[in-house]
Structure formats: structure tokens, C-alpha cells
Amino acid sequence: MDLRAGDSWGMLACLCAVLWHLPAVPALNRTGDPGPGPSIQKTYDLTRYLEHQLRSLAGTYLNYLGPPFNEPDFNPPRLGAETLPRATVNLDVWRSLNDKLRLTQNYEAYSHLLCYLRGLNRQAATAELRRSLAHFCTSLQGLLGSIAGVMAALGYPLPQPLPGTEPTWAPGPAHSDFLQKMDDFWLLKELQTWLWRSAKDFNRLKKKMQPPAAAVTLHLEAHGF
Amino acid sequence: VRLSNKVSFCFVLLFISLLTFLSEPLPWAPESLKVSINSTHQCLHLQWSVHNLAYHQELKMVFQIEISRIKTSNVIWVENYSTTVKGNQLLHWSWESQLPLECAKHFIRMRSAVDDATTPEQRFWSNWSSWEEVDVQNSLGHEPLFVFPKDKLVEEGSNVTICYVSRSQQNNISCYLEGVRMQGQQLDPNVSMFNLHNVAFIRETGTNIYCKVDRGDDIKGIVLFVSKILEEPKDFSCETRDFQTLSCTWDPGRDTGLLKQLPQSYTLFESFSGKKTLCKHKGWCNWQVAPESQEMYNFTLTAENYLRKRSVHILFNLTHRVHPMAPFNVLFKDVSVTNATMTWKVHSTGNYYTLLCQVELYGEGKVIQHNVSVKVNGELVLSGLEPDTEYSAQVRCANANHFWKWSEWTRQNFTTVEAAPSEAPDVWRNVKSVQGYCVVTLFWKPLSRLQANGEILFYNIVVEDLDRPSGLQLLSVPAPANRTELTLDQRAYQIHVTANNSVGTSPASVLVVSGDPGDEEVEEERVKGTEDGFSLSWKPQPGNITGYIVEWCDRPRDPLCDLQWKHLGPNTTSTVISSDAFRPGVRYNFRIYGISTEMVPYLLEKKTGYSQELAPSDNPRVVMSNLTSHSFTLSWKDYSTESQPSFIRGYHVYLKSKAGQCHPGSEKAVLSDDSVCCKYKIDDPKQKMFVVGNLQPESFYEFLVTPYSAVGEGPHGAFTKVTTPDEYSPMLIRIILPMIFCILLIMILCYLKSQWMKEKCYPDIPDPYKSSVLSLIKSKENPRLTIMNIKDCVPDTIEVVNKHEGTGKSPTEPEAAKPTYLYLLPAEESYSGPGPCICFENFTYNQAASDSASCGHVPVPTKAPSQLGLLTSSENLLTALEKNCMNSLEEIPAGESSLNYVSQVASPVSGDKSSLPTNPPQPELCSEYKMQMAIPLGLAAPSSSGSSSLSSITLLDEGEHYH
């Protein structure tokens, strides 16, 4: 799967679906108590929509960085991006996660990724790119709220950020521009991997909340862009 | 000896002195050479001092610096650095390396010489200092791969050298520029360098250069930021609008593309005041005018970024750069019919300057310009204006003494006052006679704005009866009407028409209408129009003529016709009538009137024509009549030549025939579809009938009638088909119809007299007494023939036939009941039949037979040869008949309910032998008729030829053939 401009019709359909369901997202509408099931479904839909949105955004941004970052088979080592939350995890470990831990990891990951993404937005040189990044940040903020809604519905507390550990995306003095571009590349890649993982997480949760159904088969892989 | 000893001693001393001089460093030689590195700028920085230079001493010296790369023998740079050296001074010199310093070792040494006029004896080089080695690779760390320089910033068109340093010789390393592999030059086994020439700007995020180990995922790269060259600001100028602020503007030129990495700044410096300001904007900057009334300004604008600095200068006097602000408070006062006074104000620029203001007046499609000198308030009288006209005036100002720029325009509109209409309306009339009255339609053209001098409110019409001066009729028609209708009697009237606005009345337009229009006696003449109009001319009229009027309709096909007219002077005898409404293919009629001094118009000439003639668009509707076998007549009486798009000159009649031959009076013509036909030409447009003659009977023809004019003929549309009748049909019809009528009459008579006819001709039961046939036969052939009387016949058998009443079936039908025979006579043994047969003698046939009362029922003899002899006499015949009667009866078809009747109607028993039946009686065909057929004596079955003699007749047995 590459991070190129995706099918605009698919995106439009997804957007319509999300907009249709947004009023029912618990994070946005707490008047009723339909249980966690619908909230999880809406969060899942939002995750899929963000996947489409990111595909277009990443295509634009990687072209902005230039080759080799926009090449489909470019897969550099993860050098300076150690502070990014990793989405890839051993399959057994992933299976053994309980719902609370699963949701907490998602929430923490997107909290960090959102901060990094805002830093990326500040650095962007073109107004068009800044608009796209700002729009995506807004959507990601919505996903974060949606996850918080699911956690609240399930009775899990939100993880508290440690004071003074607000993640930043400012390069250090020794950080070269090339490494900075690598970090940007990894940020987008990790974000996409997290969205894949979240889709599977919420799918699993969704089925768990439903009456007993068929077994869920999960293949969590992290290929290159 | 002593002398030689002294010389030897001196030489030794000199040698010792020389040795001492050579062993110690020379004064002013470089010492304490230290080399430091600036990796970011790829610079080597040298620092040294001069040996043995006194504290107060100052010398002009030259230092020669040698730089080698990789090894000392590979000298890549030699430079002489001249400077003035003071005592104990540390000297500095920098050198920027094209190759990143991390890519190779560098060695530096130097020597010095005095370049001072005061010590000419010291002008030789000192010894070289020892080589100073610069090796940055040792401090790089332990990473397997490095790429240098790190994130370099250069301008477009620069040459850049890039290198990588690998820690392992075994790795194969490839380097790429924007994804394209670069070919490098190996400096040593671990280091390769790549020269990039004339680098170009690609994107604002820089050009990506990276190297990677072929078998491994290690990747290292740099971003080369290439900036577009900073351009010199263009069109730098400053001006003031209020003597308080100088506004300086310039065109910064194109962007460098790296605003984030390479921000650029603009600085404004004024040299007289020594003041400097950093401009906040890229293209303009404000400068506060000094309160001490500084007049001259010398500005330097400097554009600067990390790589380049560009400056431009201007020097000016402040009073020469005044750009006044737009005038304000523009007003108009004392606005009259033709004049107005315009006033305005200008912003104060102190009491020292005079402004030149420019006023532009727009009105009636014209522009009038005025220049006015103004201190504070401007005023201008605008004259020569038109009444009731809207004008637009605008004003702008500039420095009168030193023109720099005009201010912006300030615009204001005003309208002059109305006046009475200045011209009489242009009036014309149309007169019709209706039931003894004159219906006069008056038309007038609206006055132009210049003539109306205001809004026309109504038109006054005064009708004066010339016969009765006191009889005045006044009529007022509100605007914007342009016509009115008057009904007058057959007297002469003078009509006055005036236009009125709110101020007054226009002069009157006078027209006399007489009772008799007198239009009909003038011949119409054709004129040829062009795209520019119709050129009309007429004969000059003797006597007093005040002028001429040409009248026409712009839309002659329209009932309202849009009447137009044109006034012409008394000396004019020609004019060109043009109108935008003229269309090609429309006939326009022009009437030329002369106007007498009494203002009575009378018709002089009539003209008609087309602005452009077009080919006829329609063909006439043709009616065909008088169709005969050799001709037919075509007529198109209802075709109007007046309404055609050109003057019709005649008609073409096209006739197509299979024969393809054209008779005299016609000519062959080839149509557009290549078909050939005959064309008859009719030159008179008034002839609307044509007889097509010389046709062949029973032939197919097609014809078409189309008009033609000077520009062509009508469309070749559908031909009408006609087939001529044959020659005899009319005659046959004349014969056959009466015959049919007669036959019908006979049939009706027959029907009405059917009973009588039946009785006469074919009664159900023939009555021999009534039969005329008998009398005919009797009289001609056999006078002895008589009618058999039934009473004379002795019945021997009674045939009883059951007849069903009402069935109506034929007695010959097989389902009828078989007759029952009652034998009245004793049956003979030879009878093989079931019963006796009653045979009625028919004396009509045979006298002999009737005499012997033999049965006329003659069956076919079963034993013809044996019976032949019997037939020679009546007795024998009777016997034979009696014998064969029953045999034949067997074969008689049953069904006759009554007694079998023997008909004589078709009996061939006349003396005429030739009328004998040609076939012998057959048993199968035994019928009443045949059974009763009497065979005349001496006659046997006739021969097939019908002409056989008696001797040759032979009756053969059944199964034998006739010969």
C-alpha cells in the first residue's frame, strides 16, 4: 500500500459516511446512552476515513520533500524517529492486550502523533500544504475525542500526560535537514501504521461488544509505503 | 705568515658568524602557526605571529601560504598575503575549501618576506614553516558512512563538491542526486568526491543528495539548499503626499525560493541625516520627513541575505517628489441653461506651493479639458453647455512648479437647466379617403436631445380649415406618441404641429391637407438599390417649390409598415435613401412629393426596387386542366409577382418525359440532379397560363413551373406527375356506356317480365300445344308430326315416386326415394329388372314409334348386334324396347317423384341428320331425356365424325370400341 493520492470517490464516500455518523459519536453527543457498540463503530469509520485522508496528504507532503522520500520503495532505517510511538507490535502481544490497554495505547499514540503533526504544520512552507495539514490535524483531534468517548463509555480513565513531557518535533542542533526529512517521513509512515492498527483494534473491540460471532482473523503487518 | 694568520682568523670569524646567522631564525619569520577548522563554512583559519618584531615596529610584509591536500607534495593552493604587521600582532588568514574539509587531510605551511621600502636589504623569503596537518576524519566518530558537506546553502549556478567517507572498504556505496545516481572520483579507498556544476533551484525544501551501502540499509544524506540569486531592487522611488512622510517603493524582483532558510531584508539608509531603517515590508517603506525641513535626500536601499547584498541609490529634492492627494468637495453652483461654476478644494501643502489642476468635462460624447492654477480652492466657470444635459466633470492636481505625479481624479456630475424646444418637429402625413372623409394620419419624428432642450411632454396639433378661417381645432397628444389620426371632410386644412416641454413650445411645423390625394395617376418606375441604399432622382418641378419629401415604408410587408420620410430642399433633385431596416429580397416603394409654397404636398413620382434582389424562393401553385392524350394546360393565376424577392421577368416550364425529345418552342435543360428535361420559357410575367402540347398518348410526364428574375430562378422542387390518356378511351367510353345502359334496361325488363318470359321460353312443364318449336318443325320438315295425346297411351307401369314436400331437392339427387314400379302389363321373362316401367310415347320424335305405341324409353342395348336387326321395323323396335326397358331402368338414377316426363326440348329428332347426337346413348348416362330419345329408323349410333352414312353405322357390343 502506497501513500499516494487515493481514490477521491472512495474518500468522498467515506467522508459522507463519517459525517452521517458523526452526530452519533459519543464524544460529540453524550445525550443518549446507546452503549459502547455504536461509539466503537463510529470510531472505526473515522479511522478508515483518516486512512484515506492521510493517503492524499502524505502523497503531497512526500513530493514536497522530494526524492527519495516520495519513491514507493523507499524504506530508510528508523534513525532519529525513536521518540515516535511505534505501532508495530508482536502479534501475540497484540492479541494479549486487554481492552483498556489497547485503547490507552491508541489514545497515547495519537496524542503524541498529533503534537508532532502540528510541528510539521508549522514548518511547512506552502500555504496549501499548511491547510491540508491543519485539516488533517482537526480530523485527528476528532479521532482522539472519539477514542476518549469509547474509553468513557467502557468506564476506562484517560491516561494523564506527564507534566513537562509534552513531545515536540523540533530538531536539535546536530539534526541535519536530511535527518529532519527522514523524521517527517517516519512520522507519516508511523501515523499510517497506527491508523491500520487502530482499524483492527476497533474492529476487534466492535466484534467483542457484539453477541458471539465468528472468530476474528488478524494480520497485522507493517509494509513499506 | 702573520698576515696570512690574520686573514685566516677573519675568515673563521665570518664563517662562525654566518653559521650563527643560519642556525637562528630570521627576524620577522612567521611563528606559532595554528590552524583551526570551520566545518560549516568549510574554512581553514590560520593564526600566526612574526618572530622578533619589536613592539613599536611596523613592517609591510608578504606571507606566502601553501596548502596541500592528502599529502604534502600535492599542493593545491599558493597565495601571497600582504599586510602591515605591528609588533606582537597575531595575524589571521582564512581559506575556504571547495572540497569539504572532512573529505581529506590538508597540510599548510608558510614563509614570509619584508615588503617594506625602508628595509630593502631584507627582501628575501624566510624559511618555510613546518607543515601543519589538518585531519578532521579522526574526529568524525564511528558511524559507517558520512556524507559532506552538511546542509550547504549556495546560490544557483554555483559549483559544489560532495564527498562521502566510509569506514569500511568492503562496502560498495552508491550516491544519488534527486534519485539519480552520481558518478564520483575516488580520493582514497574510503573517500569519493562528486563535483556538481552549475546547480539549479529545484524546490524550497532543498535538493536531496544521499549515499547508501549497496548491501545494507544504511543511508546517509544531505540537503543542498540552492537559492535563486537575490535580485537588485528595481524602480526604487520615494515621494510624499503630505510633506510629513516619504513613501518609498520598489520592485523586489523574483523570490529567492528559500525564504525560510535564507531570509532577506531591506534596509533604507539616508546619507545626509545618517539615519537607517529596517523595512518591514518587502516592497515598500515609510520614512519620516525631518522636521528641520530637509530638502535633499540621498537614499540607499539595500537588499541582503546570507549569500548576497544588493544596493540601489536615489538622490532627490523633496519638493520635486510631491504627489498631491485627490481634490475634494467638488461642487457646482449657478447651473443655468448653458453655464455652470465648478469649485473644489485641495489638501494643504503649505503656503509655498502652487498646484496645477486639470478639469475634464464629459458631455454629449465630447471631452473638454481645462487647466487651473490653485493654491487652496479651485474654481472654474464652465460655459457653452447644452440645455438639459447631464455632464460629468473630474479634477486632478499636480505640483505646478516641479511636476511629479497627478493626484487621483475626483468626479462629480451635474445637469443643465431645460429650455424651450429649438426646432419644429418633422411632420408628415398619410391621407386615406374613407366614406367621403379624409382620414389623415399625422406622423412626427421625436426631437433630438439638442433640439428638445428638455423632456418633451406633449405635442399640440392645430387644424385650421382654410375655407373657414375661424374654424380651428386643437388637439394635444402626450409624448412619447409619434402619430395621431384625424378625420376631416373633403376640404383643405392647414395643420400646425408643435412640441412642448416644461419650459415652452417649439416652432410650428405646417402642413396642408387637401381633400384629393391625387396619387394614382403617376407611373411607377423601377430603381436598383445597393447595400448603401437607394439612389433616387426626380425631375425638377417648375414653379415655386419649398422642398421635396421622399416617403417609403421600412417594413412594407407589415400592415403598420413603419412609414418613413425625408425632407429635401427645393434645389435637390436626387438623394440616397438608406436605412438599417432595408433587407435583401424586400421590395420597397418610394413616393416623391413636392411641397408647394402653400405647404400642399403633391405626388411627383413613384419608385420601386430592391436593396438586393434575391432569387425567387417559391414556385407558383400550378393547376393542371384540360388533360388530353396530346396536351394539358397549366395555370397559376393566384401567383403574385409583387411579393417576390425580385422583379419576376417570366417563368420557366420544365417538362420531363421518357422520350427526352423536345419540341420546337422548348429547349433541353440539364437540372442540378443531372436529369434532362425540356424547358419552355415564358417572357411575360403576367402570362400565368401555359398549354403543354405535342405530347404522346399514354405517356408519363413530369412538369415544374418556376419563376425567374435577374438573379436566378425559383427552386427546382418537386415535379408534378401526369400521365396522358390513350387515344381511344374517350370513344370507347362513348360506346360502352350506352351499351351498358341498354343491357341494364333489358335486364330490368326481363326481371319485370320474368314470368311471362318463363312461360314463353322455358316453362316448367312444356306444353307442346303452346310450343312454337313444334309449329316451326312441322311447317318446315315434317308436316306429319303431331302431338301425342296422353289418352291414347295405354299405361303398363306406374312409377310411384315419393317426393318429400318442401325439400326442394333436385329429383336427380341420389338420396331421393327410389321409384316403385307397378307393372300393369305381365312381365316377361327376359326382364331382369325389379319391376315394370311406364314409358310414354313421344310422338314428337318418331311417327313409327308412336304408331306402334312403343316405349320411347330407349336404353342402350346390351346386345347391340342382335338388336340391330330388330330395329329395322317398328314391331321389332317395340320388342327391343320392351326388352331393354327394364335393363335400362336399372341404371336410371332414382329420385324423380313424379312420373318421368319425356322432354322434347333438346330432341334432335329432326330430319336433319347432321344434328343427330354424336354419341350413342350410354347406360350410365341414362336420363329422362335420353331415355325418351327415339332413334330414327335407319339410324344407329352416329359416327364420331357425325357424317357417317347409314351403311357404315354399326352398334357394337359393350366392351367393344367404336370405330
Side-chain angles (χ1 to χ4, degrees):
Chain A
M1 190 176 183
D2 60 8
L3 263 173
R4 292 180 182 280
D7 182 4
S8 56
W9 284 109
M11 277 185 62
L12 187 64
C14 248
L15 178 61
C16 290
V18 169
L19 290 176
W20 180 258
H21 292 303
L22 267 181
V25 172
L28 305 174
N29 180 13
R30 292 175 182 274
T31 54
D33 186 18
S39 306
I40 294 168
Q41 176 64 47
K42 307 306 173 290
T43 313
Y44 170 80
D45 291 340
L46 187 54
T47 310
R48 301 308 302 268
Y49 164 63
L50 280 170
E51 266 188 72
H52 282 285
Q53 203 182 356
L54 179 63
R55 199 174 301 167
S56 169
L57 172 69
T60 308
Y61 195 86
L62 295 181
N63 281 333
Y64 164 74
L65 295 183
F69 302 100
N70 58 353
E71 290 170 358
D73 53 350
F74 183 62
N75 191 21
R78 188 180 159 122
L79 295 175
E82 293 303 327
T83 55
L84 285 173
R86 274 183 185 275
T88 48
V89 67
N90 184 280
L91 190 58
D92 293 331
V93 174
W94 182 80
R95 280 180 179 147
S96 66
L97 290 174
N98 60 30
D99 296 344
K100 182 183 175 187
L101 199 54
R102 193 181 300 279
L103 286 166
T104 303
Q105 284 185 358
N106 270 276
Y107 187 86
E108 286 177 341
Y110 288 119
S111 300
H112 283 74
L113 289 169
L114 184 60
C115 290
Y116 294 147
L117 211 56
R118 283 174 176 154
L120 205 66
N121 190 16
R122 284 192 289 272
Q123 294 166 24
T126 67
E128 177 63 32
L129 199 57
R130 279 199 296 274
R131 256 196 306 277
S132 299
L133 280 164
H135 177 63
F136 187 81
C137 285
T138 308
S139 301
L140 200 62
Q141 181 72 56
L143 177 64
L144 208 57
S146 193
I147 295 170
V150 173
M151 291 179 75
L154 292 172
Y156 304 140
L158 285 180
Q160 295 297 321
L162 293 173
T165 57
E166 182 69 16
T168 56
W169 195 242
H175 216 68
S176 76
D177 287 298
F178 192 80
L179 285 176
Q180 179 63 53
K181 286 186 176 186
M182 294 260 270
D183 291 347
D184 293 350
F185 174 88
W186 268 106
L187 170 60
L188 294 172
K189 185 170 180 175
E190 205 63 69
L191 189 55
Q192 187 168 59
T193 316
W194 264 109
L195 287 170
W196 289 341
R197 174 175 164 175
S198 297
K200 296 197 177 294
D201 279 336
F202 291 115
N203 198 35
R204 189 181 177 89
L205 275 173
K206 185 175 66 176
K207 291 186 176 175
K208 201 173 174 182
M209 295 301 158
Q210 284 172 353
V216 179
T217 308
L218 176 68
H219 298 283
L220 186 63
E221 294 173 356
H223 290 297
F225 280 77
Chain B
V1 172
R2 286 183 68 183
L3 182 64
S4 67
N5 287 340
K6 282 183 179 178
V7 170
S8 300
F9 178 73
C10 288
F11 183 77
V12 169
L13 280 177
L14 186 63
F15 182 74
I16 291 167
S17 303
L18 185 62
L19 283 176
T20 309
F21 176 77
L22 290 175
S23 62
E24 290 188 0
L26 270 174
W28 314 312
E31 64 175 8
S32 308
L33 176 62
K34 290 181 183 174
V35 181
S36 59
I37 298 168
N38 185 341
S39 286
T40 308
H41 297 96
Q42 294 180 196
C43 275
L44 284 176
H45 188 68
L46 275 60
Q47 177 184 300
W48 72 96
S49 60
V50 176
H51 175 70
N52 208 17
L53 189 65
Y55 177 73
H56 59 278
Q57 197 172 2
E58 193 171 287
L59 269 179
K60 198 173 180 183
M61 295 186 71
V62 177
F63 299 93
Q64 191 172 58
I65 304 164
E66 254 185 16
I67 301 175
S68 300
R69 183 172 285 164
I70 302 172
K71 55 188 178 183
T72 54
S73 58
N74 180 27
V75 176
I76 58 165
W77 193 268
V78 176
E79 183 176 327
N80 289 334
Y81 170 58
S82 297
T83 186
T84 302
V85 184
K86 292 179 183 175
N88 296 331
Q89 183 188 5
L90 284 177
L91 296 166
H92 298 274
W93 181 79
S94 291
W95 175 74
E96 184 181 351
S97 172
Q98 184 69 23
L99 180 73
L101 296 174
E102 293 89 348
C103 300
K105 288 180 183 175
H106 287 81
F107 301 91
I108 301 106
R109 67 175 183 176
M110 67 163 55
R111 61 182 178 177
S112 64
V114 176
D115 187 21
D116 202 319
T118 56
T119 55
E121 67 279 5
Q122 297 292 332
R123 290 183 64 87
F124 54 85
W125 287 110
S126 70
N127 291 332
W128 284 106
S129 66
S130 58
W131 287 103
E132 289 292 326
E133 182 182 327
V134 178
D135 186 3
V136 193
Q137 287 184 11
N138 292 331
S139 58
L140 287 180
H142 300 288
E143 290 182 39
L145 183 64
F146 299 92
V147 180
F148 297 105
K150 280 187 177 178
D151 301 337
K152 195 174 174 65
L153 187 62
V154 294
E155 279 186 329
E156 250 185 343
S158 305
N159 297 329
V160 180
T161 304
I162 294 175
C163 76
Y164 72 80
V165 179
S166 170
R167 292 297 185 200
S168 169
Q169 296 181 20
Q170 295 164 354
N171 288 335
N172 205 1
I173 292 167
S174 305
C175 292
Y176 300 86
L177 169 69
E178 287 289 309
V180 179
R181 186 167 180 172
M182 296 187 292
Q183 294 300 322
Q185 176 188 349
Q186 196 161 22
L187 292 179
D188 68 37
N190 294 333
V191 179
S192 284
M193 60 177 265
F194 306 89
N195 290 317
L196 308 180
H197 299 286
N198 195 17
V199 291
F201 173 83
I202 293 178
R203 69 178 73 78
E204 56 201 6
T205 54
T207 305
N208 299 323
I209 299 163
Y210 64 98
C211 300
K212 64 178 183 179
V213 181
D214 285 351
R215 285 174 297 178
D217 59 353
D218 198 10
I219 180 169
K220 286 289 164 60
I222 60 162
V223 178
L224 179 67
F225 289 100
V226 181
S227 156
K228 294 176 190 169
I229 294 171
L230 178 68
E231 290 188 343
E232 187 176 84
K234 292 184 278 288
D235 305 329
F236 176 45
S237 76
C238 298
E239 65 183 24
T240 183
R241 308 202 73 165
D242 55 2
F243 287 91
Q244 293 180 356
T245 305
L246 266 170
S247 175
C248 298
T249 57
W250 62 92
D251 175 13
R254 67 169 184 178
D255 204 348
T256 60
L258 294 180
L259 292 178
K260 188 179 160 196
Q261 292 82 7
L262 196 65
Q264 61 198 53
S265 64
Y266 290 88
T267 311
L268 206 55
F269 174 70
E270 204 283 307
S271 62
F272 293 118
S273 62
K275 289 181 181 174
K276 190 176 183 180
T277 184
L278 184 64
C279 298
K280 293 177 184 174
H281 305 282
K282 198 177 169 183
W284 60 275
C285 206
N286 281 338
W287 182 273
Q288 291 300 316
V289 173
E292 58 270 20
S293 301
Q294 177 188 351
E295 281 202 356
M296 293 303 296
Y297 287 83
N298 184 10
F299 277 111
T300 300
L301 173 68
T302 304
E304 188 176 7
N305 67 12
Y306 173 73
L307 298 171
R308 194 175 285 265
K309 181 189 280 191
R310 292 287 181 95
S311 294
V312 287
H313 309 271
I314 50 169
L315 173 67
F316 60 88
N317 187 321
L318 182 66
T319 57
H320 299 177
R321 299 293 175 99
V322 179
H323 182 191
M325 287 198 275
F328 64 101
N329 209 13
V330 177
L331 297 170
F332 296 93
K333 60 182 183 182
D334 303 334
V335 179
S336 67
V337 174
T338 55
N339 294 322
T341 303
M342 176 181 177
T343 60
W344 66 93
K345 290 183 178 177
V346 292
H347 291 273
S348 172
T349 54
N351 295 324
Y352 314 105
Y353 307 108
T354 305
L355 292 177
L356 171 69
C357 291
Q358 195 174 59
V359 176
E360 282 185 352
L361 181 69
Y362 292 85
E364 299 296 317
K366 293 182 292 186
V367 185
I368 302 167
Q369 204 173 67
H370 304 271
N371 289 328
V372 184
S373 266
V374 174
K375 275 283 186 183
V376 178
N377 297 322
E379 183 174 309
L380 177 66
V381 176
L382 302 168
S383 57
L385 308 178
E386 297 292 341
D388 187 40
T389 303
E390 185 178 18
Y391 289 91
S392 176
Q394 59 180 10
V395 58
R396 63 179 181 178
C397 299
N399 189 349
N401 301 322
H402 301 283
F403 180 83
W404 169 242
K405 279 181 185 175
W406 286 110
S407 71
E408 295 80 13
W409 288 105
T410 302
R411 180 185 290 259
Q412 195 66 262
N413 295 347
F414 70 100
T415 304
T416 49
V417 176
E418 285 188 13
S422 58
E423 296 283 337
D426 188 357
V427 179
W428 186 234
R429 92 292 179 267
N430 183 27
V431 182
K432 287 179 191 169
S433 239
V434 179
Q435 296 174 345
Y437 288 94
C438 268
V439 177
V440 179
T441 309
L442 285 175
F443 299 90
W444 56 87
K445 293 175 184 173
L447 294 173
S448 68
R449 275 180 40 79
L450 287 176
Q451 295 167 337
N453 291 338
E455 186 188 0
I456 298 297
L457 301 175
F458 57 92
Y459 295 89
N460 275 340
I461 297 150
V462 177
V463 182
E464 183 185 357
D465 191 339
L466 291 177
D467 298 335
R468 289 189 304 168
S470 59
L472 282 178
Q473 187 181 345
L474 179 64
L475 187 68
S476 186
V477 179
N482 63 350
R483 56 186 287 174
T484 189
E485 200 168 87
L486 305 170
T487 304
L488 308 172
D489 52 21
Q490 297 283 357
R491 292 201 296 270
Y493 289 90
Q494 192 172 51
I495 301 170
H496 304 253
V497 181
T498 54
N500 299 266
N501 63 13
S502 62
V503 177
T505 302
S506 72
S509 187
V510 181
L511 203 66
V512 173
V513 177
S514 60
D516 178 25
D519 292 355
E520 289 75 19
E521 297 170 2
V522 179
E523 284 288 322
E524 189 176 71
E525 183 188 339
R526 287 184 178 179
V527 290
K528 190 172 183 182
T530 63
E531 289 180 357
D532 300 327
F534 292 87
S535 182
L536 306 178
S537 62
W538 55 91
K539 294 172 188 168
Q541 294 301 305
N544 291 326
I545 290 283
T546 59
Y548 297 95
I549 282 184
V550 180
E551 172 199 285
W552 74 96
C553 283
D554 263 355
R555 292 195 298 274
R557 292 173 181 174
D558 196 328
L560 290 175
C561 112
D562 195 7
L563 184 72
Q564 305 290 319
W565 67 94
K566 184 177 181 180
H567 272 283
L568 295 157
N571 299 323
T572 311
T573 55
S574 67
T575 186
V576 175
I577 303 294
S578 58
S579 169
D580 292 338
F582 287 160
R583 297 283 177 268
V586 178
R587 183 184 286 198
Y588 295 96
N589 300 308
F590 300 91
R591 292 166 170 238
I592 299 160
Y593 292 88
I595 309 293
S596 69
T597 49
E598 293 81 22
M599 304 308 290
V600 179
Y602 53 95
L603 183 65
L604 298 177
E605 292 184 25
K606 286 184 187 176
K607 313 267 184 184
T608 183
Y610 296 86
S611 64
Q612 184 191 345
E613 284 191 272
L614 300 178
S617 57
D618 299 316
N619 290 333
R621 271 196 315 174
V622 179
V623 176
M624 189 188 69
S625 58
N626 298 339
L627 175 65
T628 68
S629 54
H630 293 288
S631 68
F632 56 83
T633 304
L634 304 175
S635 70
W636 52 96
K637 301 285 185 191
D638 58 345
Y639 184 69
S640 166
T641 55
E642 302 296 314
S643 59
Q644 300 309 313
S646 53
F647 292 117
I648 301 299
R649 294 188 172 185
Y651 306 95
H652 288 151
V653 179
Y654 290 96
L655 185 69
K656 280 186 192 175
S657 65
K658 285 184 178 175
Q661 290 181 341
C662 296
H663 294 284
S666 66
E667 59 184 25
K668 275 198 173 181
V670 180
L671 300 177
S672 57
D673 60 352
D674 293 336
S675 60
V676 179
C677 59
C678 300
K679 183 167 84 173
Y680 298 88
K681 193 171 182 182
I682 302 169
D683 291 331
D684 182 8
K686 292 176 183 170
Q687 180 187 334
K688 297 179 181 177
M689 195 178 76
F690 184 72
V691 178
V692 183
N694 296 321
L695 305 180
Q696 295 295 322
E698 288 187 274
S699 297
F700 177 72
Y701 292 94
E702 290 178 272
F703 66 84
L704 172 75
V705 178
T706 182
Y708 72 91
S709 65
V711 290
E713 59 180 10
H716 287 177
F719 278 61
T720 308
K721 298 174 177 58
V722 61
T723 304
T724 52
D726 63 81
E727 241 172 329
Y728 307 105
S729 296
M731 192 174 69
L732 286 173
I733 287 169
R734 282 197 290 272
I735 295 169
I736 287 170
L737 281 176
M739 282 182 69
I740 292 170
F741 178 74
C742 291
I743 290 167
L744 281 173
L745 195 63
I746 291 166
M747 286 173 71
I748 292 166
L749 283 173
C750 288
Y751 177 75
L752 294 173
K753 298 292 183 181
S754 60
Q755 196 60 34
W756 178 81
M757 286 288 292
K758 189 175 179 182
E759 286 177 3
K760 279 288 179 188
C761 298
Y762 54 97
D764 287 339
I765 302 171
D767 188 351
Y769 296 101
K770 294 178 181 175
S771 173
S772 56
V773 176
L774 183 62
S775 60
L776 193 65
I777 295 170
K778 193 188 289 184
S779 60
K780 284 186 177 177
E781 300 292 336
N782 195 351
R784 290 186 304 162
L785 284 175
T786 184
I787 296 169
M788 185 191 76
N789 194 348
I790 293 172
K791 293 174 182 173
D792 297 338
C793 188
V794 180
D796 58 349
T797 309
I798 295 173
E799 183 183 348
V800 179
V801 178
N802 295 323
K803 184 174 181 181
H804 300 284
E805 291 294 331
T807 54
K809 288 184 178 177
S810 170
T812 57
E813 286 181 5
E815 61 267 24
K818 287 184 178 179
T820 305
Y821 295 92
L822 303 177
Y823 297 95
L824 303 177
L825 295 175
E828 293 188 20
E829 293 174 5
S830 62
Y831 283 75
S832 58
C837 175
I838 299 173
C839 294
F840 297 98
E841 184 186 15
N842 190 344
F843 296 104
T844 310
Y845 299 148
N846 197 315
Q847 183 66 41
S850 83
D851 291 344
S852 62
S854 64
C855 180
H857 197 163
V858 183
V860 175
T862 52
K863 298 291 182 185
S866 60
Q867 293 171 0
L868 192 61
L870 297 174
L871 288 170
T872 54
S873 67
S874 59
E875 294 83 3
N876 291 340
L877 178 63
L878 181 62
T879 309
L881 286 171
E882 285 175 350
K883 281 183 179 178
N884 294 323
C885 185
M886 296 313 292
N887 289 338
S888 63
L889 279 173
E890 288 178 346
E891 295 163 339
I892 293 171
E896 194 64 46
S897 60
S898 59
L899 292 176
N900 277 346
Y901 168 70
V902 180
S903 173
Q904 77 282 13
V905 170
S907 174
V909 282
S910 66
D912 189 2
K913 292 175 183 175
S914 63
S915 63
L916 285 170
T918 54
N919 291 320
Q922 297 293 327
E924 296 83 358
L925 301 173
C926 181
S927 65
E928 294 86 347
Y929 167 75
K930 285 180 180 176
M931 282 188 293
Q932 295 172 60
M933 180 184 283
I935 300 172
L937 290 173
L939 289 178
S943 69
S944 59
S945 64
S947 59
S948 53
S949 62
L950 288 171
S951 60
S952 65
I953 293 172
T954 308
L955 282 172
L956 298 177
D957 195 358
E958 281 183 300
E960 291 187 10
H961 298 284
Y962 292 102
H963 296 283

